Amino acid sequence: MTDAVVVGAGLSGLVCARRLAGAGVDVEVLEARDRVGGRTLNQAIGPGQVTELGGQWAGPQHTAVRRLAAEVGVETFPTHIAGRHLYHHAGRATRYRGDVPARMPLGLGDFRLAQARLERLARRIDLDDPAGAPWARRYDEMTVETWMRRHMRTRSGRSLMRLTIKAVLAVEPREISLLGWLFYIASGGGLDSLIRTDGGYQQDRFVGGSQEIALRMAADLGQRLRLATPVRRIEHGRDGVRVHADGAVVDARSVVVAIPPHLHPTIEFAPGLPAVRNQLATAMSAGMVTKFVAVYPEPFWREAGLSGHATSTEGPISMTFDNSPPDGSPGALVAFALADGARALEAMSPADRRGVVLDALVALYGDRASTPQQLHEQCWAREQWTRGCYVGYFGPGGWTSFGSALRRPVGRIVWAGAETATHGHGSMDGAVTAGERAAEEALAALRLEAGVRA
Amino acid sequence: MTDAVVVGAGLSGLVCARRLAGAGVDVEVLEARDRVGGRTLNQAIGPGQVTELGGQWAGPQHTAVRRLAAEVGVETFPTHIAGRHLYHHAGRATRYRGDVPARMPLGLGDFRLAQARLERLARRIDLDDPAGAPWARRYDEMTVETWMRRHMRTRSGRSLMRLTIKAVLAVEPREISLLGWLFYIASGGGLDSLIRTDGGYQQDRFVGGSQEIALRMAADLGQRLRLATPVRRIEHGRDGVRVHADGAVVDARSVVVAIPPHLHPTIEFAPGLPAVRNQLATAMSAGMVTKFVAVYPEPFWREAGLSGHATSTEGPISMTFDNSPPDGSPGALVAFALADGARALEAMSPADRRGVVLDALVALYGDRASTPQQLHEQCWAREQWTRGCYVGYFGPGGWTSFGSALRRPVGRIVWAGAETATHGHGSMDGAVTAGERAAEEALAALRLEAGVRA
């Protein structure tokens, strides 16, 4: 009999287990995959050099993941962003500086006005219960697409907003409610914070790759972590829980489920969970993103005065960043296919997909982009134990119907994962704070129980 | 090595297995529950007398389930609908005849105009691929709530439309796209067909209860069906499939998955499914319905000239029907709590819930309704192996992103279930036609393979 079982060795589960272990609690972590890190994943691109195929950035506001990284000895370095950015729209690529391309005054004005409106609404959102207020529920009844058509006047402004939503949530504006978008904006501290590099979500990277944080926590946990052990069934009752996984049965006082809600149906609960939890799990979906990392002998775009950051409304690649290691050697460009763009690429053969991605890079960075030494690809929707990135989201009406149940424990079952975060929802920082909150909940319950027994 | 494994012994899976067995194919059926019938479920209410807690009606257009019932010796009888119906709105119950209450000329005109608009649009929908046409995709970008606010002018008309959507899909208008609603209307042959008793979906019932159809098919399958055998993992490849369930491993040439898409994550696939299938499963949710059946010594409402059919915008009970056995003894009223109404009831204690339901019946049928001999309750969202009824549905954007993959086989894996039906989508008839289609697909593949081997 152990004190607590944590299901899932992503960032959130590992943080939770680490905190529980630090408080002197016996904990075991069960992970379905044969690796840790969940939606963070390093990719070797040379001797001692890595890039990332999953979550990778942290902003100055992401104090929890920064503190954790420092604890485990992982340093940060600034994302390379010096130079001009590219905006590919209506068939041509233009250079710009700053957050958003200024070369389309009407569209940009339209976008900025919409941004101001969204942020004004977002400031009223209660992050603990976005649909708690009746006025907020009205915003859960319409899609962002509907809102855009009603409130934005220019095609180019709408294109820019569509691109922004895809970039930060990997969904199309038809797939989420206005309330869902407002919550995400509020959770991120405003739209600028979400899309910016300097001062925003993309400001810094982790030396050795973001997955290194999870790998070091896993090393600390040692034998308390079991890989390739998918949990199939959780029995729970007054006296404790019994967790059945492939090749393991663990009895405990408490269980923390640290996987995205849309993966909860992978586990049978006995007795079954309340109706609202059964439906919450099916009401969440995850975004669709494929990351490509092209590796070159050097970051040749820098010589041309380009930052390596580009945004495009032309599809299938919506966004690129310079993703080279700290010393810029080798050079690496990360390219994102998002939502419909990523789905279109999935319908192609691997060779065709590679060709389309390289064509997109050439259109932005010229012929030298056509012959990378390596081209890595990671489609998170192909991963059975993820089924989509960056994060799970509710469709219209979901926050209204299920939001208040998102973090509420069910008996001895506590919920972690980036989807349960309030601030930094869906980011690595949100995964960390959610894991810490879940650990506190489990600890409080364990202490209460110990007190009752004593 | 068997020819085919069917996962799920709901109506669709059983029909599929029956047809495969009939064609001389070796088939095994694996069912997670300790019973068959899926979303059909009989409830004994007296010696030899039953009522239903799940799907129960068939219209004249539902020829497939009628033919099947006749084959297994289950007869139909007309739903009791003689008398006046009740409409409970704005605090009072009024009597009416016909499909919809006529006592509110403005609201009814508004509703009828909206109905005509919806049906005109629905006639253009391709049931095989609702989002196939670019013009149709525009309708997938907005919720039905948005459409109602834009196109319906009266509060009472919108109330009636909201009630209609809840009655036929068990969702709120904020939860589905206009395209989803148009598809469902088209699939049902028009809104009148969906809501009518005489000539519509609710016209007839099955003697002995609708689950009897599944029970008889199961009896015919005998040892080829295993209950309480949840499938956990399906390995699939060029040479066949291996299906791992609790206490059983079955090798086969082909597997038919006959459970709702939102339950597909309960099964691990090796290798993993294509990204579009991984996301399709998480993109579907199911409606929320709790059925209550109150049993009385006799159907006392009939004496008062009432049909037992009522509709209410007052919540939490949105709809009732006379659900007595063919001879009217005992009397039974079935009451539906739908979507937000059902969720509100789930937040209550069982005693409070019972009180609220009886109060609602008293408000409609008077004091005699307050003391049923029995009160049965079935919340389908509480059921882990269902997670909601009547049927799985896509949120806004879902048909656009995933519709074309809904029925497409993946190697040796074929998809059945009411969610894959074109006509009668989500009805028992749809479950039957989907099971038949899946059987044909599996048969064609088996024959092709046998031909190649020969």
Side-chain angles (χ1 to χ4, degrees):
Chain A
M1 181 91 161
T2 188
D3 290 322
V5 175
V6 175
V7 180
L11 209 43
S12 204
L14 289 171
V15 163
C16 179
R18 177 182 178 81
R19 180 158 287 211
L20 289 171
V25 165
D26 283 338
V27 62
E28 289 206 38
V29 183
L30 304 176
E31 164 60 41
R33 284 188 169 97
D34 59 4
R35 65 165 182 84
V36 299
R39 288 168 270 187
T40 60
L41 179 61
N42 283 357
Q43 170 66 51
I45 54 173
Q49 298 288 26
V50 300
T51 189
E52 292 105 334
L53 298 177
Q56 64 172 82
W57 284 295
Q61 62 278 75
H62 292 151
T63 52
V65 70
R66 287 171 172 275
R67 193 177 55 236
L68 171 66
E71 265 178 48
V72 297
V74 173
E75 297 184 347
T76 62
F77 69 102
T79 302
H80 179 87
I81 195 69
R84 302 273 192 104
H85 320 313
L86 294 171
Y87 180 60
H88 201 204
H89 177 64
R92 65 197 193 99
T94 52
R95 296 179 173 213
Y96 71 99
R97 290 184 185 280
D99 299 337
V100 285
R103 286 283 181 91
M104 31 167 236
L106 273 180
L108 189 60
D110 194 22
F111 176 85
R112 287 299 189 197
L113 199 61
Q115 177 181 358
R117 275 193 166 131
L118 290 169
E119 290 180 336
R120 196 167 58 237
L121 294 172
R123 276 192 289 274
R124 299 173 60 199
I125 296 287
D126 175 2
L127 287 178
D128 284 318
D129 188 12
W135 58 262
R137 294 184 177 209
R138 286 290 299 274
Y139 301 143
D140 208 22
E141 296 178 350
M142 72 174 81
T143 64
V144 175
E145 183 73 38
T146 292
W147 187 87
M148 280 166 51
R149 288 190 188 277
R150 193 175 293 166
H151 292 283
M152 298 186 72
R153 295 181 180 190
T154 67
R155 184 183 290 263
S156 56
R158 287 193 297 268
S159 276
L160 203 52
M161 185 62 77
R162 198 179 308 278
L163 181 60
T164 304
I165 292 166
K166 290 168 68 150
V168 305
L169 268 168
V171 302
E172 297 290 336
R174 66 174 184 267
E175 296 176 309
I176 53 163
S177 70
L178 177 59
L179 183 66
W181 185 217
L182 295 175
F183 165 76
Y184 204 77
I185 292 170
S187 174
L191 210 45
D192 287 336
S193 162
L194 285 165
I195 63 179
R196 267 189 192 147
T197 303
D198 286 338
Y201 266 47
Q202 283 70 241
Q203 178 176 289
D204 294 308
R205 298 174 56 204
F206 293 97
V207 177
S210 55
Q211 195 192 1
E212 188 63 22
I213 302 170
L215 291 167
R216 295 197 182 186
M217 286 193 286
D220 290 344
L221 285 166
Q223 302 283 25
R224 287 171 289 191
L225 163 69
R226 291 194 235 187
L227 300 178
T229 310
V231 170
R232 306 294 183 181
R233 182 178 159 91
I234 296 177
E235 293 159 17
H236 58 110
R238 250 184 37 188
D239 299 327
V241 300
R242 173 166 288 179
V243 180
H244 297 259
D246 287 5
V249 178
V250 185
D251 289 323
R253 294 190 205 290
S254 153
V255 60
V256 179
V257 176
I259 61 177
H262 64 271
L263 298 182
H264 289 179
T266 61
I267 302 172
E268 182 187 0
F269 290 87
L273 298 179
V276 67
R277 288 254 29 135
N278 280 342
Q279 290 218 312
L280 184 157
T282 69
M284 268 204 167
S285 311
M288 173 77 179
V289 54
T290 303
K291 273 181 91 169
F292 299 88
V293 178
V295 181
Y296 303 93
E298 64 261 333
F300 62 85
W301 50 91
R302 295 184 187 179
E303 300 158 25
L306 294 174
S307 65
H309 177 42
T311 48
S312 170
T313 61
E314 303 289 284
I317 296 302
S318 297
M319 189 164 71
T320 74
F321 278 92
D322 184 320
N323 225 37
S324 312
D327 65 357
S329 172
L333 282 172
V334 59
F336 288 79
L338 296 161
D340 283 350
R343 280 184 280 267
L345 288 182
E346 280 302 285
M348 298 177 188
S349 70
D352 286 352
R353 187 160 52 237
R354 183 188 164 90
V356 165
V357 171
L358 290 180
D359 285 351
L361 290 177
V362 167
L364 291 165
Y365 298 106
D367 282 344
R368 288 181 72 180
S370 68
T371 50
Q373 297 172 308
Q374 304 167 34
L375 181 60
H376 301 285
E377 168 181 337
Q378 175 77 7
C379 170
W380 285 93
R382 271 185 234 153
E383 302 273 313
Q384 193 160 198
W385 300 114
T386 308
R387 287 181 186 252
C389 272
Y390 320 116
V391 61
Y393 69 93
F394 283 125
W399 276 112
T400 299
S401 300
F402 308 110
S404 63
L406 191 57
R407 280 178 297 278
R408 195 191 305 145
V410 177
R412 292 171 179 277
I413 309 166
V414 168
W415 312 102
E419 284 77 8
T420 66
T422 50
H423 293 274
H425 186 94
S427 71
M428 286 194 284
D429 195 66
V432 172
T433 56
E436 290 171 344
R437 179 209 30 85
E440 291 307 321
E441 287 176 7
L443 273 177
L446 288 167
R447 282 172 186 149
L448 186 67
E449 192 171 311
V452 169
R453 279 204 311 273
Chain B
M1 179 92 160
T2 187
D3 290 322
V5 175
V6 175
V7 179
L11 210 43
S12 204
L14 290 170
V15 163
C16 179
R18 177 182 177 81
R19 181 158 288 210
L20 289 170
V25 164
D26 284 337
V27 62
E28 287 206 42
V29 183
L30 303 176
E31 164 61 39
R33 284 189 171 97
D34 59 2
R35 66 166 182 85
V36 299
R39 288 168 272 187
T40 60
L41 178 61
N42 284 357
Q43 170 66 50
I45 55 172
Q49 299 288 25
V50 299
T51 189
E52 292 105 334
L53 298 177
Q56 63 170 82
W57 284 294
Q61 62 278 71
H62 293 150
T63 53
V65 68
R66 287 170 171 276
R67 193 176 56 237
L68 171 66
E71 265 179 47
V72 297
V74 172
E75 297 184 344
T76 62
F77 70 102
T79 303
H80 180 87
I81 195 69
R84 302 273 193 102
H85 320 313
L86 294 172
Y87 180 61
H88 200 204
H89 178 65
R92 67 198 191 98
T94 52
R95 296 180 172 212
Y96 71 99
R97 292 184 184 283
D99 298 338
V100 284
R103 287 283 181 91
M104 30 167 238
L106 274 178
L108 189 59
D110 193 23
F111 177 85
R112 287 299 190 198
L113 199 62
Q115 177 181 356
R117 274 192 167 132
L118 290 168
E119 289 180 336
R120 196 166 57 237
L121 294 172
R123 275 192 290 275
R124 299 172 61 198
I125 296 287
D126 175 2
L127 287 180
D128 285 319
D129 189 12
W135 59 262
R137 294 184 178 209
R138 286 290 299 273
Y139 300 143
D140 208 21
E141 297 178 349
M142 72 175 80
T143 65
V144 175
E145 183 72 38
T146 291
W147 187 87
M148 280 167 50
R149 289 191 188 276
R150 193 173 295 167
H151 292 282
M152 299 187 71
R153 296 182 179 187
T154 67
R155 184 183 290 262
S156 57
R158 287 194 296 267
S159 277
L160 204 50
M161 185 60 79
R162 197 180 309 277
L163 182 60
T164 303
I165 292 165
K166 289 169 70 151
V168 307
L169 267 169
V171 302
E172 297 291 335
R174 66 174 184 267
E175 296 176 309
I176 53 164
S177 70
L178 177 60
L179 183 66
W181 185 217
L182 294 175
F183 165 76
Y184 204 78
I185 293 171
S187 174
L191 210 45
D192 286 338
S193 163
L194 285 165
I195 64 179
R196 267 192 191 146
T197 303
D198 286 339
Y201 266 48
Q202 282 71 240
Q203 179 176 289
D204 294 309
R205 298 174 54 204
F206 293 97
V207 177
S210 55
Q211 194 191 3
E212 188 63 22
I213 302 170
L215 292 167
R216 294 196 182 186
M217 286 193 287
D220 290 346
L221 286 166
Q223 303 284 26
R224 286 171 289 191
L225 164 68
R226 289 193 235 189
L227 300 178
T229 310
V231 170
R232 305 293 183 182
R233 183 177 159 94
I234 297 177
E235 293 160 17
H236 58 111
R238 249 184 37 187
D239 300 327
V241 300
R242 173 166 288 179
V243 179
H244 297 260
D246 287 5
V249 177
V250 185
D251 289 322
R253 294 190 206 289
S254 156
V255 59
V256 179
V257 176
I259 62 177
H262 64 271
L263 297 182
H264 289 178
T266 61
I267 302 172
E268 182 186 359
F269 289 87
L273 298 179
V276 67
R277 287 252 33 131
N278 280 342
Q279 291 219 312
L280 184 158
T282 69
M284 268 205 168
S285 311
M288 174 74 180
V289 53
T290 304
K291 273 180 92 169
F292 299 87
V293 179
V295 181
Y296 304 93
E298 64 262 333
F300 60 87
W301 50 91
R302 295 185 187 178
E303 299 157 25
L306 294 173
S307 65
H309 177 42
T311 48
S312 171
T313 61
E314 303 290 283
I317 296 302
S318 297
M319 189 164 69
T320 74
F321 277 93
D322 184 320
N323 224 38
S324 313
D327 64 358
S329 174
L333 282 172
V334 59
F336 288 80
L338 296 161
D340 283 349
R343 279 183 281 266
L345 289 182
E346 280 301 287
M348 297 177 189
S349 71
D352 285 352
R353 186 159 56 236
R354 183 188 163 93
V356 165
V357 171
L358 290 180
D359 285 351
L361 290 177
V362 167
L364 291 165
Y365 297 108
D367 283 344
R368 288 180 72 181
S370 67
T371 51
Q373 298 172 306
Q374 303 167 33
L375 181 60
H376 301 286
E377 170 181 335
Q378 175 76 9
C379 171
W380 285 94
R382 272 184 234 154
E383 302 273 312
Q384 192 159 198
W385 301 114
T386 307
R387 288 182 185 249
C389 273
Y390 320 115
V391 62
Y393 69 93
F394 284 124
W399 276 112
T400 298
S401 300
F402 308 111
S404 62
L406 192 56
R407 280 178 297 279
R408 194 190 306 145
V410 177
R412 292 170 179 276
I413 309 166
V414 168
W415 312 102
E419 283 76 9
T420 66
T422 50
H423 293 274
H425 185 95
S427 71
M428 287 194 283
D429 196 66
V432 172
T433 57
E436 290 171 347
R437 181 214 22 91
E440 291 307 322
E441 286 176 7
L443 273 176
L446 289 168
R447 282 174 185 146
L448 186 67
E449 190 170 311
V452 169
R453 279 204 311 273

